[in-house]
Amino acid sequence: MVEDEYAIREGIKKSIRWERDGFELVGEAGDGEVAFPKILKTKPDILITDIRMPFMDGLELSRLVKKEMPGIKIVVLSGYDDFNYAREAISIGVEEYILKPVSEESLMEELKKLADSVRAERRDDEAKIKYMRDREEIRMLEQQKFLHDMIDGKLSIQDSLTLGKELGIDIAAEYYSVVLMHVFSRKGENNIDAYSGTKEEIYSRVKAIYNDVENVYLYEQVGDVLCFLEKADSSEEMRESILKGIEAIKTVMQDYKDVLYFVSIGKPVERIRDVNISYEDASRKFAERYMLDESCVFFEENGSRPAAVRHDRKGISADIDLNSIDINMISQKTILHFLKNGTLSEIDAFTDEYFASMGKEAVESLMLRQYVLVEAMLSAAVFMKDMSTEGGTGGELPKELSNPMEYVSSAEDAKDYIRRLLTSMLEYRNKISDMKYTETIEKAKAYIQDNYQNDDMSLQTVASFVNVSTNHFSAIFRRETGDTFIDYLTSVRMEKAKTLLVCTAMKTSDVGFEVGYRDPHYFSYIFKKTVGMSPKEYRKSKKES
């Protein structure tokens, strides 16, 4: 309260029972200049001020306070019935302009109205915060799509900067590097769904490492590959950041002895438009992971890969001796591993790396080339059998399998054959996976229909129910239904709420509780945002129609 006349100030202060009526008097002052810093410190919900005071009058004080605290409610007390004063007070945003003298009852009546307004605004603010928190899934998907499109070279520099800023991602820097991470079960489970619990736990721990790191952004790619976009203002800063991250990942992975992990670091680039080059470099090196039996970090510095982070392949080396080769050393496991975990976009890099792993002399051997093709076909046959056992229909036999003794005259012929074989197999695998995804989403939708009343239902709980990682479930749910999880859940709840509002006499608060909202105000907020009118307005409109 700000009033220059002591007697009036004391009279108001002592005549009102502040605490009885739900108020607390947090401060007082004799002029605006003294009052202003006190107001900024105590941050009251309501300010009562006289209009004519020395040093700084009530209107100037109101103007300064509203600028710093737009939500504050201001009551101006004035001994002047002057239209110009009142008009200026309204232009500033003053809620009430009251002429002196004012009775305790009249002042308290106005204060209670303002208090109700403050409480309503607080409830609205809380509802908005909860609404934005509930829709975090949408923001996560938007951020992932942005990072994917930018790294894939689909966005212009201006779009990258503008859209990134809108999503809270500042990508401006001197250097960029793309880092990829993937984990497999050492026991070689076929698909990731059977291993999603451990994988999600690992990825969650890795993401937590970077939660407060401003120079790294993460998202999960198709195939459950974790992609990092690292940025820095110098090459040395980039190197230190990457090495620090590698050590942190190694520390996490020490707790998972049955998991193989692979990390690939793309070469640093200096332009946003070249981020895709760093990504392709990381992807090319990353393809080697399907041939390794131990975890590996692919990190080249000064153009060479340190031996300390490169593990030996089992079976074949670059200095192969054709005269002493044990043909059984070439295993189906490498190709079978790729068929189970690889992606269509990795086929070229994998094929090149697979042949390079045998060395030039070996690839030039017709005998070895033919054997490699037979092993590839046998791997595909085993894979087809595994997929059929897991619920696949078997599908048509790829034409590459119909002629197992196809003659190849060169290494390029052999590569082309394996590329075609891998493409056919991965397309078949993806078709079966899509069928599984449809079943998974139908199961999730049924679970939502049966449990929408639970206020603690979340993306995490439903993903856990269908045994799929949260990020993966979010992506496939949107792909299969066209809606995000939260939009779908909200839609189900709103349809149930509409039925209850029209077909029963339940109070709106009870309706909200019945469809999963424990906070009646939040239910009303969501209903109005979704339907376009309040629950009471909706009920009235339906009864009148």
Side-chain angles (χ1 to χ4, degrees):
M1 179 175 58
V2 187
E3 166 64 60
D4 63 326
E5 294 186 35
Y6 178 78
I8 295 178
R9 191 166 75 242
E10 283 294 303
I12 294 175
K13 187 171 69 172
K14 293 180 178 179
S15 64
I16 296 178
R17 299 178 185 179
W18 302 97
E19 294 183 0
R20 182 199 65 180
D21 292 312
F23 294 92
E24 178 186 359
L25 186 64
V26 295
E28 60 178 293
D31 66 74
E33 192 173 311
V34 173
F36 185 59
K38 290 185 177 182
I39 293 170
L40 296 183
K41 182 178 180 180
T42 57
K43 298 187 182 304
D45 297 305
I46 301 173
L47 167 64
I48 303 172
T49 180
D50 187 14
I51 198 168
R52 292 287 296 270
M53 297 180 293
F55 305 107
M56 181 187 292
D57 65 27
L59 294 180
E60 180 62 20
L61 174 64
S62 297
R63 188 177 291 107
L64 291 175
V65 170
K66 275 287 185 180
K67 184 177 180 180
E68 297 296 325
M69 301 168 57
I72 194 171
K73 309 299 180 186
I74 300 178
V75 176
V76 168
L77 302 179
S78 175
Y80 302 89
D81 188 7
D82 190 315
F83 176 74
N84 289 328
Y85 278 143
R87 182 174 60 183
E88 187 175 353
I90 292 172
S91 69
I92 292 171
V94 167
E95 275 68 27
E96 296 294 339
Y97 188 91
I98 302 175
L99 293 176
K100 298 177 182 177
V102 58
S103 67
E104 172 193 345
E105 291 77 13
S106 297
L107 180 58
M108 183 52 63
E109 183 179 344
E110 296 301 330
L111 291 179
K112 286 182 177 179
K113 289 179 184 177
L114 293 179
D116 289 341
S117 177
V118 169
R119 294 187 187 101
E121 288 177 5
R122 281 182 180 169
R123 288 194 298 267
D124 284 342
D125 289 341
E126 289 169 0
K128 289 175 184 176
I129 292 171
K130 181 169 172 47
Y131 178 75
M132 294 306 297
R133 186 170 60 247
D134 285 348
R135 298 183 68 81
E136 184 62 27
E137 176 200 4
I138 297 174
R139 183 173 179 81
M140 176 189 72
L141 289 171
E142 289 176 344
Q143 288 179 335
Q144 289 188 354
K145 185 178 186 303
F146 165 72
L147 289 169
H148 175 272
D149 289 348
M150 195 202 78
I151 290 173
D152 210 32
K154 295 180 180 178
L155 298 177
S156 67
I157 297 174
Q158 186 58 46
D159 287 343
S160 295
L161 293 169
T162 302
L163 187 55
K165 186 176 181 180
E166 291 175 2
L167 295 172
I169 299 175
D170 178 13
I171 62 167
E174 297 291 328
Y175 290 86
Y176 305 90
S177 179
V178 174
V179 178
L180 303 176
M181 178 182 178
H182 201 184
V183 299
F184 299 139
S185 168
R186 188 179 292 274
K187 298 176 182 178
E189 276 89 344
N190 187 20
N191 72 48
I192 196 57
D193 289 348
Y195 209 61
S196 61
T198 301
K199 174 170 282 189
E200 182 166 16
E201 180 181 301
I202 292 170
Y203 282 179
S204 294
R205 290 182 62 183
V206 171
K207 290 175 184 177
I209 294 170
Y210 293 95
N211 276 346
D212 298 321
V213 179
E214 296 181 355
N215 64 312
V216 182
Y217 299 103
L218 287 75
Y219 77 98
E220 286 186 41
Q221 294 182 311
V222 174
D224 293 304
V225 172
L226 197 58
C227 182
F228 307 67
L229 174 62
E230 299 244 8
K231 65 189 187 78
D233 291 327
S234 69
S235 57
E236 182 60 29
E237 181 184 324
M238 176 68 76
R239 180 179 179 277
E240 289 179 2
S241 176
I242 288 173
L243 290 175
K244 184 178 180 181
I246 290 172
E247 290 306 312
I249 290 172
K250 286 181 177 180
T251 299
V252 169
M253 296 310 301
Q254 287 176 0
D255 296 333
Y256 303 91
K257 303 303 182 184
D258 291 332
V259 179
L260 297 178
Y261 70 94
F262 302 92
V263 179
S264 182
I265 292 86
K267 64 181 180 181
V269 295
E270 298 181 30
R271 300 175 185 274
I272 293 176
R273 65 166 62 93
D274 292 336
V275 168
N276 183 246
I277 294 175
S278 179
Y279 172 72
E280 290 176 350
D281 181 59
S283 298
R284 177 183 55 79
K285 292 178 288 192
F286 209 37
E288 188 178 346
R289 70 191 185 278
Y290 299 107
M291 301 167 217
L292 302 179
D293 294 311
E294 295 297 332
S295 299
C296 183
V297 176
F298 305 102
F299 186 23
E300 295 180 7
E301 292 191 280
N302 301 321
S304 63
R305 191 179 301 164
V309 295
R310 187 176 188 179
H311 301 269
D312 293 334
R313 302 180 184 86
K314 291 185 178 180
I316 302 173
S317 63
D319 57 351
I320 190 168
D321 181 356
L322 291 177
N323 295 319
S324 61
I325 183 173
D326 177 0
I327 205 73
N328 293 316
M329 290 164 59
I330 305 175
S331 172
Q332 299 173 20
K333 184 169 66 173
T334 295
I335 291 180
L336 193 58
H337 193 192
F338 180 79
L339 288 174
K340 292 177 178 179
N341 298 284
T343 64
L344 288 167
S345 63
E346 293 180 300
I347 288 176
D348 287 344
F350 169 78
T351 304
D352 290 342
E353 188 67 34
Y354 181 67
F355 276 82
S357 70
M358 290 181 279
K360 185 177 180 181
E361 283 187 88
V363 173
E364 289 176 352
S365 164
L366 176 60
M367 175 191 70
L368 191 58
R369 286 203 304 270
Q370 289 296 121
Y371 186 80
V372 167
L373 296 187
V374 172
E375 285 293 281
M377 289 184 285
L378 289 173
S379 299
V382 171
F383 177 71
M384 291 279 283
K385 181 179 179 181
D386 288 345
M387 291 296 289
S388 297
T389 301
E390 291 184 9
T393 59
E396 296 184 3
L397 191 71
K399 62 181 181 179
E400 287 77 18
L401 291 179
S402 63
N403 184 13
M405 295 309 292
E406 177 178 333
Y407 178 78
V408 292
S409 60
S410 67
E412 284 306 314
D413 285 345
K415 284 184 180 182
D416 182 61
Y417 178 90
I418 288 187
R419 287 191 189 100
R420 287 186 279 119
L421 179 66
L422 294 177
T423 300
S424 296
M425 291 295 95
L426 263 60
E427 287 176 346
Y428 174 82
R429 182 201 68 185
N430 292 344
K431 179 181 178 181
I432 299 301
S433 295
D434 286 345
M435 293 170 60
K436 291 181 181 178
Y437 290 154
T438 300
E439 294 174 2
T440 297
I441 296 307
E442 289 304 314
K443 183 179 178 182
K445 288 164 69 175
Y447 180 82
I448 292 169
Q449 290 286 346
D450 293 339
N451 297 276
Y452 66 88
Q453 303 98 328
N454 298 338
D455 69 326
D456 59 350
M457 178 177 283
S458 66
L459 177 67
Q460 290 77 11
T461 57
V462 181
S464 177
F465 174 74
V466 297
N467 195 32
V468 178
S469 69
T470 303
N471 282 298
H472 194 49
F473 174 73
S474 176
I476 64 173
F477 191 92
R478 188 171 195 175
R479 189 185 71 186
E480 294 290 322
T481 67
D483 285 326
T484 62
F485 164 79
I486 191 62
D487 282 339
Y488 183 84
L489 173 60
T490 301
S491 176
V492 169
R493 286 173 165 173
M494 292 302 104
E495 289 304 312
K496 301 294 183 182
K498 288 182 198 177
T499 300
L500 292 174
L501 287 168
V502 174
C503 300
T504 73
M506 294 173 64
K507 295 190 297 184
T508 56
S509 58
D510 292 337
V511 170
F513 190 87
E514 187 67 23
V515 298
Y517 296 98
R518 298 298 179 261
D519 182 349
H521 186 76
Y522 187 57
F523 165 64
S524 296
Y525 179 87
I526 292 294
F527 192 96
K528 187 170 184 178
K529 198 155 189 75
T530 305
V531 181
M533 61 182 77
S534 70
K536 290 182 180 179
E537 291 170 339
Y538 179 82
R539 172 177 272 166
K540 183 179 179 182
S541 69
K542 290 301 178 182
K543 289 186 176 181
E544 291 176 348
S545 59

